[in-house]
Amino acid sequence: MATGDSFDGDSRNGPAPELPTSVRVSLPAPPSSRGPAPTYSRAQVAAAAIAIADEHGIEAVSMRRVAAALGTGPMSLYRYVDNKEALCELMLDHMFGEAELPEPTGDWRADLAEVARSLRRAQLSHPWLARIAAGRPAMGPNMLDIFEYGMSILDRLGLDTADMLEIFALVSSWVGGFVQEEVAEQAARRDRGMDEREWQRSMSRYLETLTGGGNYPYFTRVVRAGADRDFDTRFERGLDRILTGIEATLPR
Amino acid sequence: MATGDSFDGDSRNGPAPELPTSVRVSLPAPPSSRGPAPTYSRAQVAAAAIAIADEHGIEAVSMRRVAAALGTGPMSLYRYVDNKEALCELMLDHMFGEAELPEPTGDWRADLAEVARSLRRAQLSHPWLARIAAGRPAMGPNMLDIFEYGMSILDRLGLDTADMLEIFALVSSWVGGFVQEEVAEQAARRDRGMDEREWQRSMSRYLETLTGGGNYPYFTRVVRAGADRDFDTRFERGLDRILTGIEATLPR
DNA sequence: CTCCCACTGGGTACGCCGTACGCGGTTTGA
DNA sequence: TCAAACCGCGTACGGCGTACCCAGTGGGAG
């Protein structure tokens, strides 16, 4: 799988046609022979932004800071990126380039599960990713690579394109939702650093404050018993359920 | 189901104990008898913020604007809400109060499907919701109501608490991921207002620009054939697959 | 070889933002 | 009665995204 630099590589192609911003951003930079060569590449810009997000959180990523990290002024960034929104999309697609996908085994369930695990791994290794991805369509070249890989797995099942798309979207959107909850809870616990015991006690107090302790019997039970499994097994079990559901609703 | 005003109602309870911000925010305001009565309520603040988000988009929601909508100064808001993050959580839980849940029928598949549809409906009626919810744990009173409702449905299946939680989380996180993609695509199309035909053509051009047309065979096929079904049927079919998967992996 | 001009780098400035701080007015329990 | 507790809100600071503009650069056309 690509390493995420798929932005600057090749240069064949004319002037960018009118496209929605959310798509145009993923295009490689135009050839541009006339003036001096650009000092940086889009990949460098993305890498700088990602480094800041990893170290100081996504909210610390500002045009000024990214520019400073590159050793330049704030406005210079706009030579590489239309605006901050575009910078985010650049970071987003760059990350999906890190996903490593093994050679398909031929067992579609196992192979699709591996795609799901890769997507989760990518988003988990950079927790701010889920925040960025929210409400943004992800169709950069790297995400498209993963899409193609997933579709090729489903191609053995004799479905039409719409069905394949539907199934791929089912898996990938579940992974997205799952990881979102996962990082949310991680962040909430890190908020004030509390361990399992402390968190449990503070949630109990929350419940009592809310209703005097009477209502919310199920949530109370979950909190009291610490009844939530760890995310790894929840993920695997959920994945298994979803794949089972897909298999069961396959034609013939 | 509550209408979302569950914040200001009752007043019994002592001073707020030390809780993580992400949880404390959902607490009803302390009784506070001493000074003059507050001019507004937390529900009013939330409603004002929501109105702005609905009309001008979530990024237009600023402390200053919300305050102005209420007819007051920016700093007055901080009497009702710790900071902007807290305002967002207030909006979030307030929205889930709008979800209307019918009386359970006793058929757990149908009932759980109805919960899923309610969650989707709530998030779809305010597209900015998905953006806000990303990476934030949602455990306000209204979300807890939905949680309790869902768990009570699953309670008939003879599972332990951890299994019930797992299944509820599976459904709700899938809905979250699905709606996220749904509003993302809606937003992308609205970005520049283009209909089906235009979008198709611009995506074709995007593909050609990307690779000269050769790679991404599946995505090309999807774009060329317009092979994506509408979101309503995708949702129903996905939901059916997930419920089937759950049913198939039920013990005994 | 020359010159033009597309291109890059980057400074300045504007209008927003979140919010720390603090002051004056109001209410109420002691 | 009066101090403590609370509310409303004005002022101000530092940071943000980015519009605008100008100087420098280097390849292609003449």
Side-chain angles (χ1 to χ4, degrees):
Chain A
M1 182 109 295
T3 64
D5 325 38
S6 37
F7 282 107
D8 312 83
D10 51 347
S11 37
R12 66 179 171 316
N13 50 44
E18 346 70 61
L19 290 174
T21 341
S22 51
V23 159
R24 190 173 355 129
V25 79
S26 313
L27 289 174
S32 94
S33 67
R34 211 36 167 244
T39 314
Y40 315 100
S41 69
R42 286 166 76 110
Q44 279 176 280
V45 173
I50 287 167
I52 294 175
D54 280 340
E55 195 162 357
H56 302 97
I58 186 63
E59 64 283 348
V61 175
S62 71
M63 298 300 261
R64 296 170 134 92
R65 261 188 103 141
V66 174
L70 285 169
T72 183
M75 290 314 290
S76 302
L77 273 192
Y78 287 87
R79 296 283 167 198
Y80 302 91
V81 140
D82 274 355
N83 45 39
K84 194 184 177 180
E85 168 75 16
L87 175 64
C88 287
E89 291 183 37
L90 200 64
M91 296 169 72
L92 196 60
D93 191 71
H94 198 90
M95 292 312 329
F96 283 117
E98 284 186 4
E100 287 181 18
L101 296 174
E103 203 60 29
T105 65
D107 173 2
W108 69 270
R109 270 189 76 141
D111 289 339
L112 211 52
E114 215 47 57
V115 174
R117 291 190 197 102
S118 285
L119 287 172
R120 174 167 176 246
R121 235 180 287 123
Q123 298 190 54
L124 235 42
S125 66
H126 304 274
W128 44 266
L129 231 172
R131 268 298 250 284
I132 286 287
R136 251 180 276 261
M139 299 229 278
N142 284 320
M143 187 57 209
L144 277 185
D145 280 338
I146 299 177
F147 176 77
E148 293 290 320
Y149 179 90
M151 290 291 273
S152 77
I153 289 169
L154 293 169
D155 209 2
R156 312 167 159 276
L157 296 182
L159 308 169
D160 63 23
T161 311
D163 276 326
M164 290 164 57
L165 175 65
E166 212 173 81
I167 290 174
F168 181 83
L170 174 64
V171 173
S172 80
S173 70
W174 173 69
V175 174
F178 183 92
V179 177
Q180 205 123 106
E181 279 188 24
E182 186 171 2
V183 301
E185 187 165 322
Q186 282 179 353
R189 297 203 187 190
R190 187 169 19 84
D191 193 32
R192 303 207 191 285
M194 29 177 62
D195 64 9
E196 191 67 23
R197 274 275 162 278
E198 289 175 283
W199 185 80
Q200 207 169 317
R201 296 210 327 157
S202 81
M203 286 314 282
S204 291
R205 242 170 319 164
Y206 171 52
L207 274 171
E208 280 163 33
T209 324
L210 248 186
T211 62
N215 286 333
Y216 307 116
Y218 294 107
F219 190 62
T220 305
R221 212 193 295 169
V222 168
V223 169
R224 292 271 153 79
D228 49 338
R229 283 189 246 273
D230 69 303
F231 279 102
D232 282 341
T233 60
R234 272 168 64 179
F235 182 80
E236 287 301 327
R237 292 171 53 111
L239 187 53
D240 188 63
R241 286 196 164 103
I242 285 185
L243 293 173
T244 301
I246 291 171
E247 189 165 15
T249 55
L250 241 37
R252 52 177 256 92
Chain B
M1 182 110 294
T3 64
D5 325 40
S6 38
F7 281 107
D8 311 82
D10 51 346
S11 36
R12 64 180 171 314
N13 50 44
E18 347 67 62
L19 291 173
T21 339
S22 51
V23 159
R24 190 174 354 128
V25 79
S26 313
L27 289 173
S32 95
S33 67
R34 211 42 164 243
T39 313
Y40 314 101
S41 68
R42 285 166 77 112
Q44 278 176 280
V45 172
I50 287 168
I52 294 174
D54 281 340
E55 194 163 357
H56 302 98
I58 185 66
E59 65 283 348
V61 174
S62 71
M63 298 301 261
R64 296 171 133 89
R65 263 188 100 142
V66 173
L70 286 169
T72 184
M75 289 315 289
S76 302
L77 275 192
Y78 287 87
R79 296 280 171 197
Y80 302 90
V81 141
D82 274 356
N83 47 37
K84 193 184 180 181
E85 169 76 15
L87 175 64
C88 287
E89 291 182 38
L90 201 63
M91 296 170 71
L92 196 61
D93 191 72
H94 198 90
M95 291 313 327
F96 282 117
E98 285 187 2
E100 288 182 15
L101 296 174
E103 204 60 28
T105 66
D107 173 3
W108 70 268
R109 270 188 77 141
D111 288 339
L112 210 53
E114 214 48 57
V115 174
R117 291 189 196 103
S118 284
L119 286 172
R120 175 167 175 245
R121 235 179 289 124
Q123 297 190 54
L124 234 43
S125 66
H126 304 273
W128 44 266
L129 231 173
R131 265 302 247 285
I132 286 287
R136 249 180 276 262
M139 298 228 278
N142 284 320
M143 186 57 210
L144 278 186
D145 279 339
I146 299 176
F147 175 77
E148 293 291 319
Y149 180 90
M151 291 291 273
S152 77
I153 290 169
L154 293 168
D155 208 1
R156 313 166 159 276
L157 296 180
L159 307 168
D160 63 24
T161 310
D163 276 326
M164 290 165 57
L165 175 66
E166 213 172 80
I167 290 175
F168 180 82
L170 175 63
V171 173
S172 80
S173 70
W174 172 69
V175 174
F178 183 92
V179 176
Q180 205 123 106
E181 279 188 25
E182 186 172 2
V183 301
E185 189 167 321
Q186 282 179 354
R189 297 201 186 191
R190 187 169 20 83
D191 194 30
R192 302 206 191 287
M194 30 176 60
D195 64 9
E196 192 65 23
R197 275 274 162 279
E198 290 176 281
W199 185 80
Q200 208 168 316
R201 298 209 325 155
S202 82
M203 285 315 282
S204 292
R205 245 171 316 163
Y206 171 51
L207 274 172
E208 280 163 31
T209 325
L210 247 187
T211 62
N215 286 333
Y216 308 115
Y218 294 106
F219 189 63
T220 306
R221 212 192 296 168
V222 169
V223 169
R224 291 270 153 78
D228 49 337
R229 283 189 247 273
D230 70 301
F231 279 102
D232 282 341
T233 61
R234 272 168 65 180
F235 182 80
E236 287 301 326
R237 292 170 53 108
L239 187 54
D240 188 61
R241 285 196 165 103
I242 286 184
L243 293 174
T244 301
I246 291 171
E247 189 167 13
T249 56
L250 243 34
R252 50 176 259 92

